[in-house]
């Protein structure tokens, strides 16, 4: 059965009012596919089980950079002794 955008919209709103959010989500995904140019039959056959919405803030400046993790067993170097830092061994 092929559905139009209007019938899918009504079906989505009815499912949301009945608190059936899974069905409303399926209808919303079909609507977005049909608006992007997919036929009604292709939208009906589409599998949405592996799709997840992007989390807020996942895109933007600096988010593509990996978090630096030290190699296993790495320890930071010891801090310098404050009594000897800044002093040279030569006398001037």
């Amino acid at each position: 059965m092929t559905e139009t955008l209007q019938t899918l919209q009504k079906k989505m709103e009815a499912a949301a009012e009945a608190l059936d959010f899974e069905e409303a989500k399926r209808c919303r995904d079909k609507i977005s596919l049909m608006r992007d140019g997919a036929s009604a039959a292709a939208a009906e056959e589409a599998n949405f089980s592996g799709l997840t919405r992007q989390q807020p803030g996942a895109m933007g400046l600096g988010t593509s950079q990996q978090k630096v993790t030290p190699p296993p067993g790495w320890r930071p170097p010891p801090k310098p002794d404050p009594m000897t830092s800044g002093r040279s061994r030569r006398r001037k």
Side-chain angles (χ1 to χ4, degrees), residues 16-81:
E17 286 179 11
L19 302 178
D20 186 8
F21 298 115
E22 289 83 15
E23 180 63 28
K25 177 182 159 231
R26 281 190 286 276
C27 291
R28 181 201 62 209
D29 292 339
K30 287 180 188 178
I31 290 170
S32 67
L33 274 179
M34 290 174 71
R35 285 184 180 162
D36 288 340
S39 66
E44 191 70 33
E45 294 173 2
N47 181 9
F48 300 110
S49 63
L51 298 179
T52 57
R53 289 206 166 259
Q54 188 170 11
Q55 296 299 317
M59 289 183 65
L61 297 175
T63 57
S64 62
Q65 296 178 0
Q66 296 179 353
K67 189 172 185 178
V68 178
T69 56
W74 182 82
R75 290 186 303 127
K79 293 186 177 181
D81 184 12

Side-chain angles (χ1 to χ4, degrees), residues 87-92:
R87 296 179 141 201
S88 67
R89 294 185 176 205
R90 295 186 303 165
R91 294 212 181 245
K92 290 185 177 184

